[in-house]
Amino acid sequence: MPFAEGAAHNDWLRRHEDHCLQDTRVELRKQIMDWCDDPSSKCIFWLNGMAGTGKSTISRTIARELADRKRLAASFFFTRGKKDVSHSGMFFTTIAAQLATSLPVLRTSISDAIDNNAHIFKQGPREQWNQLILNPLKNAPTQSIQLVVVIDALDECDSMQDIQLILLLLEEAKDLATVRIKIFLTSRPEIPIFDGFRQLSGGAYQDFILHNIPLDTVNADISTFFLQKLSPLKAKHGLGTPWPDEQIIAQLVERAAGLFIYAATTLRFIQDGIDGPEEPLSLVLSATKSPLSATEHLDGIYTTLLQHSVLGKRGFQECEQLAGRFRQVVGSIVVMFNTMPARDLAQLLQLPFKMVSSTLDTLRSVLNVPGDESQPVQLFHLSFRDFLLDSQRCSDSRFQIDEKERHTSLFRKCMAHISQLEENICNLWGPGVLITEIPDDTVQKSIPSHVQYACRYWLDHWRLGNPVEEDIKTIRQFLEQHFLHWLEGLSLIGEVSNGAHMIIALEEILSVSCNTH
């Protein structure tokens, strides 16, 4: 069964992500667990809130508590820009695969559904939902049981139409009898998602608006967070007592303005101080003190840490060079369609690894840069991406990312790599070899990760960029010389189906180009 890597709450790739501290979010967590336990409660619990209010941390905590109580059916954490968890293509197959593990009595029914329909994995969401999940649950040979599916950040699914279809299908779980499935779901309060919920029957869901929790309650939790997380730094660096004192904590809580992402980012910035936590803490506290909105406070800490971590106290020329490198490296990360390790990123961008590595090392407050070089570099929070791409929010133009320019640059880098493809790139021993007969390391050696990325996403970058006529000529030249080599590469990396969609899109693009010239 195909499944999305990194979707589950306890996936290896998510091992360093935060959970709620024991004494925080107490009332909300109790309310959610009471909903889980109440057999008469509605099928869907929708927790919605603005960016940075802590939705994903709550989701991870709820999923872990449910798993400890043997009540978790499955979990899927959408993440924008991260391959299979940025879209719905493997959503239902991933849920079905987890269900088969959490409720073994379903395995036979799910297996039979696959045997009876060999094409189910290539069919639409409705067919997958009905055959792999809903029907097996209806016919489950078990006593009455109630389980919960946790779905986080639904708004980060890349298709609003798919989001609305997912909601309509999930509503059907309300009619299950023997095995009752509930859905705990989080998202930002975006209009298309509101529209999706409005299409559901009134008895299908209840919602909770996270940013409507009284500010005093949120501030108390953020204060607890700072106290517990900053206190260990006192002993580590031999700081005096009390540190941090009540006034410092109060100032940090005020600047957080109800956003947990501000608190988490500030903490990482303070922890990462080369000469200890006092200088970065001073920088945070000396930032603008006038009344600001929550988003403005968050933008302020992002600006402060970028100016301090990327530029420091260097001269004008060196600052311009470092800022340009930042826009090239981090700008690529925030617009790419899949994450990748730093070394692969350097190869994709055709930059020295040391240059990329040194750029990333200064940004551990906002980027998850794993010690294991085989693991991908990721943003800690989507709000950092939003900040960099919005010139109204990112007030320091040196860090503003021009999204179209970045896409165009990545398109050209991709074209440079796939133009090196050649016939029989894996040196196979004859025609008609099955993909399953080719060792993975052979494919990886011949088509490394950055080239695989280029094969899969070059057209997406072109469409979202700001290409010029010369780029059209480059595409035509590539198709004349390397079209079959590219198809061979897509086949070897298991992306032929996506290649078919790309060819259809290419035909439309090139026909329009011909008509306009």
Side-chain angles (χ1 to χ4, degrees), residues 4 21 30 130 148 215 249 298 339 425 440 444 451 473 515:
L21 297 176
K30 182 180 184 301
N130 286 329
V148 181
L215 187 58
I249 294 296
L298 182 60
T339 55
I425 193 169
D440 291 341
Q444 186 63 38
V451 180
K473 293 179 181 178
N515 292 334

Side-chain angles (χ1 to χ4, degrees), residues 311 313-320:
L311 306 181
K313 299 177 181 179
R314 298 175 175 88
F316 174 80
Q317 187 172 354
E318 190 175 2
C319 283
E320 289 298 303

Side-chain angles (χ1 to χ4, degrees), residues 372-390:
D372 181 352
E373 288 189 2
S374 67
Q375 297 301 312
V377 177
Q378 303 178 72
L379 304 180
F380 273 119
H381 197 267
L382 193 62
S383 60
F384 184 55
R385 177 186 188 275
D386 296 340
F387 164 76
L388 293 174
L389 295 178
D390 188 338

Side-chain angles (χ1 to χ4, degrees), residues 142-202:
T142 184
Q143 60 185 6
S144 181
I145 188 173
Q146 187 166 273
L147 300 174
V148 181
V149 174
V150 175
I151 303 170
D152 182 65
L154 184 61
D155 55 290
E156 295 188 30
C157 177
D158 63 9
S159 168
M160 286 300 169
Q161 287 183 317
D162 287 352
I163 288 173
Q164 294 182 355
L165 178 57
I166 285 172
L167 291 174
L168 286 172
L169 295 175
L170 291 176
E171 180 190 19
E172 296 176 4
K174 73 181 188 302
D175 298 322
L176 290 169
T178 305
V179 180
R180 188 177 183 202
I181 294 293
K182 291 185 173 183
I183 296 94
F184 175 75
L185 185 152
T186 75
S187 77
R188 297 188 191 190
E190 297 183 351
I191 296 300
I193 296 181
F194 272 113
D195 291 342
F197 273 102
R198 276 197 286 265
Q199 295 178 43
L200 308 187
S201 61

Side-chain angles (χ1 to χ4, degrees), residues 336-365:
M336 285 173 63
F337 298 100
N338 194 17
T339 55
M340 61 176 57
R343 195 170 294 277
D344 294 333
L345 178 64
Q347 291 178 305
L348 178 68
L349 299 179
Q350 298 176 311
L351 294 174
F353 172 67
K354 187 175 180 180
M355 178 187 294
V356 172
S357 179
S358 62
T359 301
L360 298 176
D361 282 341
T362 64
L363 293 165
R364 292 179 182 269
S365 301

Side-chain angles (χ1 to χ4, degrees), residues 145-333:
I145 188 173
Q146 187 166 273
L147 300 174
V148 181
V149 174
V150 175
I151 303 170
D152 182 65
L154 184 61
D155 55 290
E156 295 188 30
C157 177
D158 63 9
S159 168
M160 286 300 169
Q161 287 183 317
D162 287 352
I163 288 173
Q164 294 182 355
L165 178 57
I166 285 172
L167 291 174
L168 286 172
L169 295 175
L170 291 176
E171 180 190 19
E172 296 176 4
K174 73 181 188 302
D175 298 322
L176 290 169
T178 305
V179 180
R180 188 177 183 202
I181 294 293
K182 291 185 173 183
I183 296 94
F184 175 75
L185 185 152
T186 75
S187 77
R188 297 188 191 190
E190 297 183 351
I191 296 300
I193 296 181
F194 272 113
D195 291 342
F197 273 102
R198 276 197 286 265
Q199 295 178 43
L200 308 187
S201 61
Y205 75 95
Q206 67 183 71
D207 62 356
F208 187 97
I209 302 174
L210 192 55
H211 50 268
N212 281 355
I213 294 177
L215 187 58
D216 287 347
T217 302
V218 178
N219 283 347
D221 287 343
I222 293 176
S223 179
T224 299
F225 172 84
F226 276 125
L227 281 168
Q228 291 193 24
K229 294 294 188 178
L230 288 176
S231 292
L233 295 178
K234 177 170 58 179
K236 180 179 178 181
H237 295 278
L239 301 174
T241 301
W243 190 94
D245 61 29
E246 291 182 3
Q247 184 179 2
I248 289 175
I249 294 296
Q251 291 180 57
L252 291 173
V253 170
E254 181 184 3
R255 283 165 169 74
L259 293 183
F260 277 84
I261 186 56
Y262 177 98
T265 304
T266 298
L267 173 71
R268 288 191 293 266
F269 181 52
I270 294 171
Q271 288 174 328
D272 290 346
I274 297 176
D275 298 318
E278 293 178 294
E279 182 185 3
L281 176 59
S282 177
L283 285 170
V284 171
L285 296 177
S286 63
T288 304
K289 299 178 182 178
S290 59
L292 299 172
S293 68
T295 300
E296 288 171 327
H297 277 291
L298 182 60
D299 295 346
I301 188 61
Y302 282 148
T303 301
T304 297
L305 73 85
L306 288 177
Q307 291 173 342
H308 176 77
S309 301
V310 177
L311 306 181
K313 299 177 181 179
R314 298 175 175 88
F316 174 80
Q317 187 172 354
E318 190 175 2
C319 283
E320 289 298 303
Q321 182 182 15
L322 291 172
R325 186 184 303 174
F326 169 87
R327 293 192 298 271
Q328 188 174 13
V329 175
V330 180
S332 296
I333 291 173

